Amino acid sequence: MATLTERTEEDKIECVGPYRSIQIRTATVIERDGTEISRSFHRHVLQPSTKTDDTWADTDISGESAEVQAICNAVWSDSVKTAYQTMIDAQEV
């Protein structure tokens, strides 16, 4: 009888644009007896800051992989966060 296995892997992590948006692509891989038979993708994007009720906070990255956390911590400087917040606030006028 064939053995089916499923695994997920972050197969692409990109840092994009002046506000250092982090794009993560997660692949779900299905294998039969060690041979890949299916692969599907899910993507999500992280921004350096989030705004709730007119209050800015750093984006919570605690649920992300260690690799994604390291990238976010490396590229989301205070100046990047401030520039992102300023850009979003200017759009709300």
Side-chain angles (χ1 to χ4, degrees), residues 40-76:
S40 61
F41 301 102
H42 170 78
R43 294 174 186 266
H44 68 282
V45 179
L46 301 172
Q47 303 296 348
S49 300
T50 57
K51 188 174 186 179
T52 306
D53 299 325
D54 293 328
T55 302
W56 283 103
D58 290 349
T59 298
D60 180 9
I61 57 173
S62 62
E64 302 296 331
S65 68
E67 184 176 12
V68 170
Q69 288 181 32
I71 293 168
C72 291
N73 290 328
V75 300
W76 288 349

